[in-house]
Amino acid sequence: MSLLEISGLTLDLPSEPSCRLLDGISLNVGAGETVGIVGESGSGKSLTARTVLGLLPGGARTSGSVLLDGTDMLRCPPSVALDRRRDTVSMIFQDPRSGMNPVRRIGDFLTESLRLCEGWSKADADERALELLRSVGLPRPESHLSQYPHELSGGMLQRVMIAGALTAAPALLVCDEPTAALDVTTQAEIINVLRKQQETRGMGMLFITHDLNLAAALCDRVYVIHSGRIVEYGSALSIFTSPRADYTKRLVAATPTIPSVSGRRSSAAASHGRAPSAGSAEPALEARGVSKCYAIRGGADIRAVDDVSFRVPPGGALALVGESGSGKSTLARMLVGLERPDSGDILVDGVSRSTRPRSRAERLKRARAVQIVFQDPYLSLDPRIPAGAAIEDALRLHSTLRGVEARARVLTLLDRVGLTEKHSQSKPRTLSGGQRQRVAIARALAAAPGVLVLDESTSALDVSVQAQVLDLIDEIRRERGLTLVFVSHDLAVVRRVCETTAVMKQGAVVESGATAGLLEHPGHPYTQLLIDSIPKPRRSLHAISQ
Amino acid sequence: MTILPILKKLGSLALTLFAASILVFCSMYFVPGNPVSFLLRGRSPSAEAVAAVTAQYGLDKPVPEQYVDWLANVLHGDFGRSFQYREDVSTLIASRAPATIGLVALAGLIIGILGLAAGITAALNQGRAADQAILLASTGLAAIPSFVGAIVLIAFFAVQLGWFPSFGSGNGFLDALYHLVLPALALAATFVALVARVTRTSMLEQLGREHVEVAVSRGIGRGHVIRRHVLRNALGPILTVSGVLVAGLLVASSIVEQSFGLSGIGSLLVQSVDRLDFPVVQAIVLLIVVIFVTMNTVVDLLAPVIDPRSMAGAAAR
Amino acid sequence: MTTFPLTRAVPRHFRPRSGNPLFTAAIILAMVMVIAAAAATLIAPYDPDFVDLGNVLSAPSPAHWLGTDAVGRDTLSRMMFGARTALLGPLLVVLLSTALGIGFGLLAGWFGGWIDAVLCRVFDLLFAFPALLLAILAVAIFGKGLTAPVAAMTIAYIPYVARLVRSLVVSERGRPYVTAYRVQGFAGCWIAVKRVLPNVMPTVGAQSTLNFGYVLADLASLSFLGLGVQPPAADWGAMINDSRGALMSGQSLPALVPAIAVVLVVIAMNIIGENLSDRIGGRRQP
């Protein structure tokens, strides 16, 4: 019998009578096996994970069974479910920072279940906590015990969460997107910790993720879930290389990869056959030794951006890639004039823009030169203003179009980003994430800018939506000869759009060059680390058995 | 590193108190005309009365000097003399203080127990009958100003049923307590509702937090989770509101004392306003402001104990 | 979406829609009060100051729906005329303090820097004076009546509104949609007044509605203490004060009628205010 056997699980909420949240989910996890559930947001993957621990939303009605080591977690008395959570199954959550009580110490978090539920003495519990912290590779276990969560970084906290989940020596570990809130290099470390613990303890692992690459890299078998149903399951490699269900096919096609793995699909940049020769013409956008410091109260200044220089020719596309804290977003803000560099200069079409604009005309001229699309589509639109009106506002500011003409132009722009007249009346809250991002793009285009900065513009979107928006950006760029600067943490994403890439670390550019070349022959160890950290599907069953 | 924020808060306390004292002192200059005639409104401006007032406030000196002298006296506990009672204001206040302290303490106790209990019960039964009932009751209670509470309590429990006295403060501890029951209830009504609502909201917010779900997922029992992770984390807003509550209680006590014929500081304030006894008004207003601002600073200083993050705010990345 | 099982949250659709009938009732009550106050001269059955010593403390009857007080004045008529001062005072306080509070709050929140620092200091100072205490002090200085307390309460409520506006504006200012307006080249003042202010107004409006109830209760308290509207003018608080003697002799109606009216108006304002802020909360969800 399997360690975990879910059969025919359905779940309804009275608040959403029209749609069934989980619809006939069946899956199993054997002892010592790693099983992935892959799905986009709203697919029901997190809900499935929670049912394994008997955590249901209030008022949920279920049918089917969730057998954990022979106990049906849906029907057993609460005390039995409590016991199973203490000794059989543990869970790791997405965001370690919100997953730990901010007012209690790390030591308290690790030992509370032992002391309160198992009656261990404080000394014994602390000893066990230290042992666990060591095993997940934290540098100073003794001092961590008396620290508060806010004193640790996200990656360290996720290690603490893992240690916390392992206190009870569970037979099954449920991981709900445990690395989604982390940088890619940190993700790689956490995945290693998980893999090592899973192997040494022989635990079963149920790994929930939106990232097909990650699932394929870590899991033996993968279930693909879509709108509350399992659409496909099989070995990780077969799902990735030969998907059968339509949804899986689309998902695989939309998933960004880097060439060293799936290789054959040509990058968007290369297919244009238009690798611009740097320096041949006046650059559309140029940064000359740009630096920016932030003063931190009671500490040394932080060099957010440190002597960065680059040139982007007209119609070119530059990717600025880095992890959090690399200064890439600060640089993006300086490019659009939201902040001014401490030293150095930013030139658009040869015109410096590092000083404060002196007049309304100059401010508008600069706005017409560079526009930006932000990361979060939910926050970057004014909640009160309908999509069409938002675009019309920008048009009125930057053109002489008024009345009927302006509205016609709004519709043209909406049409260009794949939206219709119906959307122009919609308030942002009625639009989906992808639609909002399209509105944001249309609004940026209303000023007819020469340079468009994309600040992580697709990273908040689901994989399939992200692919569509990336395609849209690429089309518009070709049509209008836009110069692009794409700020992102994801090498695989920028590769689709940008032919040159600059890798940033701690405010400085460590390496730059043609994207394809950079990916194939990284010259800097950090670039190499970034590439290595991207999860790659294991190539063969042989690799899995090892 | 930990001492600096504390000093900062104490400094801002001192600054606020300083400004408040200037405002209270200068208030007698807000009326156009001579401060002597303002202070002696409604009294015969006899030569000796004028001389006494001039001496008390040093009105023959320049205004800044008047203020400095007045402040020095206040800091020594000397608030001058009451026109009405011909007594030192400080003696007068000291003799009235026990009644007010007893009233506010009893009301505070009722508020603490009932408010917290109702809020916690409502939060743990969100959406069910108990929650609805508590929400409804608190909407009603919150709308009962203390003078209305006093009238209603007197009408039913004192006059109709005759269970409690409606007037005076009684002799001896138990009798005094007996006399304080209705006033304390009248005073507490609004604030019970306030505390219950804040507690409920704060608990519900914590109940929805992911760390609570994590604690449950780790097999920690319901009682432990609620005590250690929900209630403990919900304390912040409750503490903040209790700072504000002190001011409300002190001011509303004047209404309640007046309604129930208790001779406390509050009723002294109202009577002094009525009888144009400005030195007493000045002293009591300043006293309430000092207590209120100090309480809020204490609450502020306690915040890092409740939530360690608030201390690290400046040092964090 | 996944709620936590410690409390069995009843999903929104299943919650009894108690808000709406209550909300309607509150609106109707508020309108009745306003009409009664506005048309008091037309619809009041008696002169509110008409003393009828032969008909003292009468029980409700067809002639006197709500009975008469200790000197035989018709309670219903006095309630109608009393509604004028009862509603006018809080209306003035709320309108003035909201208008000024929005101005100061927007200034502090949008510009930040030294303007913010100075304004916050001033707010802190005013916060040290609870509204009712400031009103009492104002009466002690300027004399009894409605003017001094209304002015004092206005001043006391400005920092509440201003702080609310400031914190809302600060949080809006940091949102990407505001940044987006900046990048598009819109002027800062345009963004603040035309785009940020309308987004914070509903919350401020809801809070001001709540404040209306509290101010009404505070002003009635002052009249009750004999420091506000002076007899013989009809005023709810003063009516309660006048009827305390009758209350002690078991005739509670003349005191209870205005007391209940005060409570009803405060409840109605609370319900309206909370419903408004709930609606805003619902609308704000992405």
Side-chain angles (χ1 to χ4, degrees):
Chain A
M1 190 184 68
S2 300
L3 179 58
L4 172 69
E5 180 119 25
I6 299 179
S7 41
L9 172 65
T10 63
L11 191 148
D12 294 277
L13 272 185
S15 58
E16 285 155 68
S18 54
C19 81
R20 181 156 268 195
L21 296 178
L22 295 180
D23 191 0
I25 301 275
S26 298
L27 60 86
N28 59 18
V29 181
E33 191 186 21
T34 302
V35 172
I37 301 182
V38 178
E40 295 183 292
S41 55
S43 61
K45 56 187 194 302
S46 291
L47 209 53
T48 310
R50 279 163 170 75
T51 61
V52 176
L53 288 95
L55 301 174
L56 297 175
R61 283 194 304 267
T62 58
S63 66
S65 66
V66 178
L67 290 178
L68 176 67
D69 211 9
T71 309
D72 188 345
M73 293 301 282
L74 297 178
R75 312 269 173 263
C76 66
S79 64
V80 176
L82 202 64
D83 283 343
R84 285 289 150 277
R85 284 182 220 142
R86 284 181 191 171
D87 54 32
T88 314
V89 60
S90 286
M91 182 155 170
I92 299 170
F93 292 78
Q94 174 170 357
D95 184 359
R97 207 166 285 286
S98 58
M100 289 174 73
N101 189 339
V103 310
R104 295 201 173 270
R105 295 171 198 273
I106 304 292
D108 193 273
F109 170 78
L110 288 170
T111 59
E112 75 173 337
S113 61
L114 295 176
R115 284 184 293 116
L116 299 177
C117 309
E118 315 282 331
W120 287 35
S121 75
K122 180 164 170 24
D124 287 351
D126 279 353
E127 192 49 47
R128 175 106 174 100
L130 284 176
E131 188 189 307
L132 285 162
L133 286 181
R134 271 186 218 109
S135 73
V136 296
L138 277 167
R140 298 182 308 280
E142 288 81 4
S143 57
H144 290 325
L145 282 189
S146 58
Q147 282 181 304
Y148 286 102
H150 68 264
E151 297 173 75
L152 270 59
S153 71
M156 287 163 96
L157 278 184
Q158 195 58 289
R159 287 170 195 254
V160 174
M161 287 291 277
I162 295 173
L166 297 176
T167 37
L172 177 68
L173 186 62
V174 179
C175 305
D176 185 8
E177 300 250 26
T179 59
L182 304 175
D183 275 329
V184 62
T185 51
T186 319
Q187 161 169 297
E189 291 165 16
I190 294 294
I191 293 298
N192 275 335
V193 170
L194 281 173
R195 193 182 274 149
K196 192 178 133 221
Q197 294 296 330
Q198 188 260 332
E199 277 166 13
T200 52
R201 290 164 188 268
M203 286 184 299
M205 191 148 90
L206 185 63
F207 194 91
I208 285 77
T209 180
H210 67 281
D211 186 344
L212 201 53
N213 285 323
L214 185 57
L218 184 68
C219 303
D220 305 325
R221 287 186 301 123
V222 170
Y223 292 84
V224 179
I225 183 170
H226 178 59
S227 337
R229 290 174 205 214
I230 304 269
V231 293
E232 184 165 1
Y233 66 96
S235 82
L237 195 69
S238 70
I239 295 266
F240 205 87
T241 52
S242 50
R244 280 165 285 130
D246 286 343
Y247 176 74
T248 323
K249 281 178 188 159
R250 268 183 283 140
L251 198 62
V252 170
T255 300
T257 51
I258 57 168
S260 57
V261 178
S262 68
R264 303 302 152 245
R265 290 186 302 130
S266 62
S267 80
S271 66
H272 297 159
R274 178 172 47 80
S277 48
S280 61
E282 168 104 327
L285 178 66
E286 183 176 9
R288 288 184 192 155
V290 172
S291 294
K292 177 87 184 169
C293 280
Y294 287 110
I296 302 289
R297 252 193 298 173
D301 285 4
I302 290 198
R303 280 198 157 254
V305 175
D306 189 2
D307 193 21
V308 169
S309 302
F310 57 76
R311 294 156 76 91
V312 190
L318 171 73
L320 291 169
V321 178
E323 296 186 291
S324 53
S326 64
K328 59 185 193 302
S329 284
T330 309
L331 189 54
R333 290 174 65 84
M334 286 194 285
L335 292 180
V336 294
L338 285 167
E339 316 214 9
R340 266 166 282 285
D342 293 339
S343 62
D345 205 355
I346 292 169
L347 299 102
V348 179
D349 291 328
V351 183
S352 165
R353 49 161 45 219
S354 52
T355 53
R356 188 180 280 275
R358 274 179 299 277
S359 64
R360 181 172 186 272
E362 191 179 349
R363 192 178 71 224
L364 292 180
K365 190 159 173 276
R366 286 192 189 181
R368 276 193 292 274
V370 185
Q371 278 296 312
I372 188 167
V373 178
F374 289 103
Q375 170 173 13
D376 194 332
Y378 295 90
L379 298 177
S380 58
L381 296 178
D382 190 335
R384 205 173 47 88
I385 307 291
I391 299 168
E392 198 176 328
D393 274 344
L395 276 176
R396 283 166 166 277
L397 189 68
H398 289 291
S399 70
T400 52
L401 296 179
R402 293 291 179 271
V404 186
E405 279 179 311
R407 271 189 290 283
R409 180 91 186 100
V410 167
L411 292 183
T412 320
L413 281 167
L414 279 174
D415 182 56
R416 183 61 208 92
V417 296
L419 298 174
T420 62
E421 185 169 5
K422 168 182 78 167
H423 298 112
S424 83
Q425 303 300 324
S426 312
K427 296 266 178 83
R429 75 192 134 93
T430 62
L431 300 172
S432 71
Q435 287 170 336
R436 291 181 211 207
Q437 210 59 316
R438 287 167 192 269
V439 173
I441 292 171
R443 187 180 56 181
L445 294 178
V451 179
L452 186 63
V453 178
L454 304 163
D455 185 3
E456 297 271 18
S457 306
T458 61
S459 61
L461 305 174
D462 271 327
V463 176
S464 52
V465 181
Q466 164 170 289
Q468 293 161 10
V469 173
L470 285 175
D471 287 345
L472 175 69
I473 290 169
D474 202 54
E475 278 169 37
I476 292 174
R477 176 196 166 199
R478 260 182 294 160
E479 236 174 62
R480 303 186 164 227
L482 269 179
T483 308
L484 281 189
V485 176
F486 196 154
V487 175
S488 176
H489 68 283
D490 195 338
L491 273 171
V493 165
V494 298
R495 168 187 160 268
R496 288 197 162 186
V497 183
C498 302
E499 57 280 312
T500 51
T501 297
V503 177
M504 290 186 70
K505 187 190 181 193
Q506 290 170 358
V509 172
V510 295
E511 183 176 3
S512 62
T515 308
L518 198 110
L519 287 173
E520 271 167 43
H521 310 289
H524 191 279
Y526 183 69
T527 314
Q528 183 71 54
L529 178 66
L530 277 184
I531 294 173
D532 290 345
S533 298
I534 297 171
K536 297 161 190 74
R538 286 182 281 185
R539 291 214 156 198
S540 64
L541 286 170
H542 177 69
I544 292 165
S545 65
Q546 269 188 342
Chain B
M1 185 202 125
T2 48
I3 206 83
L4 197 67
I6 296 177
L7 286 180
K8 249 185 166 172
K9 275 177 188 149
L10 290 179
S12 110
L13 167 71
L15 196 66
T16 307
L17 287 181
F18 175 66
S21 72
I22 292 182
L23 203 68
V24 170
F25 175 80
C26 291
S27 56
M28 61 182 175
Y29 286 98
F30 290 167
V31 182
N34 184 350
V36 176
S37 57
F38 164 72
L39 289 166
L40 287 178
R41 276 176 310 176
R43 294 188 172 75
S44 64
S46 65
E48 51 199 2
V50 171
V53 169
T54 311
Q56 180 171 338
Y57 284 91
L59 292 173
D60 45 354
K61 297 179 202 161
V63 177
E65 203 174 320
Q66 287 175 31
Y67 169 73
V68 172
D69 290 349
W70 175 79
L71 187 66
N73 287 338
V74 165
L75 290 175
H76 287 101
D78 177 9
F79 290 93
R81 285 178 72 81
S82 153
F83 301 146
Q84 178 74 20
Y85 297 92
R86 312 208 169 272
E87 242 185 300
D88 275 350
V89 175
S90 44
T91 329
L92 200 57
I93 290 178
S95 72
R96 299 290 198 105
T100 301
I101 294 173
L103 174 64
V104 169
L106 188 60
L109 203 66
I110 295 172
I111 294 165
I113 294 171
L114 281 185
L116 285 176
I120 293 169
T121 313
L124 296 182
N125 293 285
Q126 192 200 0
R128 283 191 281 194
D131 181 31
Q132 303 279 1
I134 289 172
L135 267 182
L136 207 64
S138 74
T139 306
L141 270 186
I144 299 185
S146 37
F147 72 101
V148 172
I151 292 298
V152 172
L153 288 175
I154 290 173
F156 287 97
F157 292 99
V159 178
Q160 291 242 312
L161 299 169
W163 289 356
F164 292 96
S166 68
F167 195 83
S169 50
N171 305 306
F173 179 72
L174 281 181
D175 193 36
L177 199 64
Y178 181 51
H179 276 80
L180 278 181
V181 172
L182 289 188
L185 284 175
L187 187 53
T190 311
F191 302 105
V192 167
L194 180 69
V195 170
R197 295 193 146 220
V198 169
T199 307
R200 176 179 179 275
T201 311
S202 182
M203 292 260 301
L204 283 182
E205 199 206 324
Q206 291 299 328
L207 275 170
R209 288 281 166 91
E210 195 168 290
H211 71 78
V212 175
E213 193 180 9
V214 170
V216 173
S217 83
R218 301 178 74 208
I220 293 164
R222 177 184 155 96
H224 282 305
V225 172
I226 288 170
R227 237 188 352 271
R228 290 172 56 89
H229 295 292
V230 180
L231 197 52
R232 170 70 177 74
N233 289 37
L235 284 180
I238 300 173
L239 194 72
T240 309
V241 92
S242 54
V244 180
L245 211 133
V246 171
L249 279 179
L250 284 175
V251 179
S253 72
S254 59
I255 296 159
V256 172
E257 286 170 12
Q258 193 72 354
S259 317
F260 286 93
L262 298 171
S263 65
I265 295 174
S267 54
L268 179 64
L269 172 66
V270 175
Q271 288 151 17
S272 303
V273 172
D274 199 41
R275 290 167 200 163
L276 307 172
D277 195 353
F278 196 69
V280 181
V281 175
Q282 223 177 9
I284 295 177
V285 169
L286 192 62
L287 189 69
I288 292 178
V289 168
V290 169
I291 294 175
F292 176 42
V293 178
T294 312
M295 278 303 296
N296 274 334
T297 307
V298 170
V299 166
D300 257 15
L301 289 176
L302 281 177
V305 181
I306 300 279
D307 187 345
R309 281 170 304 176
S310 56
M311 188 56 112
R317 287 141 284 158
Chain C
M1 184 178 71
T2 41
T3 48
F4 173 67
L6 269 185
T7 70
R8 299 259 168 230
V10 179
R12 191 168 292 158
H13 290 259
F14 269 55
R15 236 169 253 165
R17 292 231 163 222
S18 57
N20 287 342
L22 274 180
F23 183 62
T24 317
I27 295 272
I28 290 173
L29 181 83
M31 279 165 59
V32 167
M33 293 281 179
V34 170
I35 292 169
T41 40
L42 298 176
I43 56 175
Y46 295 89
D47 178 346
D49 300 326
F50 176 70
V51 173
D52 181 2
L53 289 174
N55 194 7
V56 163
L57 291 174
S58 71
S61 65
H64 299 281
W65 288 7
L66 294 175
T68 56
D69 69 2
V71 288
R73 291 176 294 196
D74 178 54
T75 304
L76 179 62
S77 304
R78 288 184 71 73
M79 287 299 296
M80 287 178 171
F81 280 91
R84 295 182 158 186
T85 51
L87 298 179
L88 193 65
L91 189 69
L92 279 174
V93 172
V94 166
L95 285 183
L96 289 175
S97 64
T98 306
L100 290 170
I102 286 174
F104 288 126
L106 194 61
L107 220 57
W110 185 257
F111 290 105
W114 65 268
I115 299 180
D116 187 29
V118 169
L119 283 174
C120 280
R121 274 267 144 252
V122 176
F123 299 159
D124 274 353
L125 172 64
L126 286 175
F127 260 116
F129 293 86
L132 192 54
L133 188 70
L134 201 64
I136 290 176
L137 182 63
V139 171
I141 298 168
F142 298 104
K144 296 171 184 174
L146 200 58
T147 323
V150 163
M153 299 281 275
T154 303
I155 293 173
Y157 270 92
I158 288 173
Y160 284 91
V161 182
R163 268 211 187 169
L164 176 69
V165 173
R166 179 189 173 274
S167 68
L168 290 169
V169 167
V170 166
S171 87
E172 293 290 312
R173 194 182 59 179
R175 283 172 188 256
Y177 84 82
V178 174
T179 318
Y181 281 129
R182 284 190 194 280
V183 175
Q184 283 167 48
F186 288 103
C189 292
W190 184 89
I191 305 172
V193 175
K194 290 277 206 174
R195 287 297 179 256
V196 171
L197 197 56
N199 279 333
V200 308
M201 270 314 284
T203 312
V204 178
Q207 183 59 45
S208 290
T209 312
L210 288 174
N211 287 349
F212 184 94
Y214 300 134
V215 175
L216 183 135
D218 278 354
L219 288 177
S221 304
L222 277 178
S223 301
F224 170 77
L225 291 174
L227 304 179
V229 178
Q230 293 299 299
D235 177 87
W236 295 355
M239 285 168 72
I240 301 173
N241 197 20
D242 289 347
S243 309
R244 282 165 74 188
L247 179 75
M248 289 305 176
S249 58
Q251 297 287 332
S252 51
L253 195 66
L256 282 185
V257 168
I260 290 169
V262 170
V263 173
L264 282 181
V265 174
V266 178
I267 289 183
M269 288 304 158
N270 277 343
I271 290 172
I272 295 172
E274 268 165 31
N275 250 277
L276 291 178
S277 68
D278 279 358
R279 288 173 187 207
I280 302 156
R283 211 184 311 151
R284 264 304 171 104
Q285 308 269 304

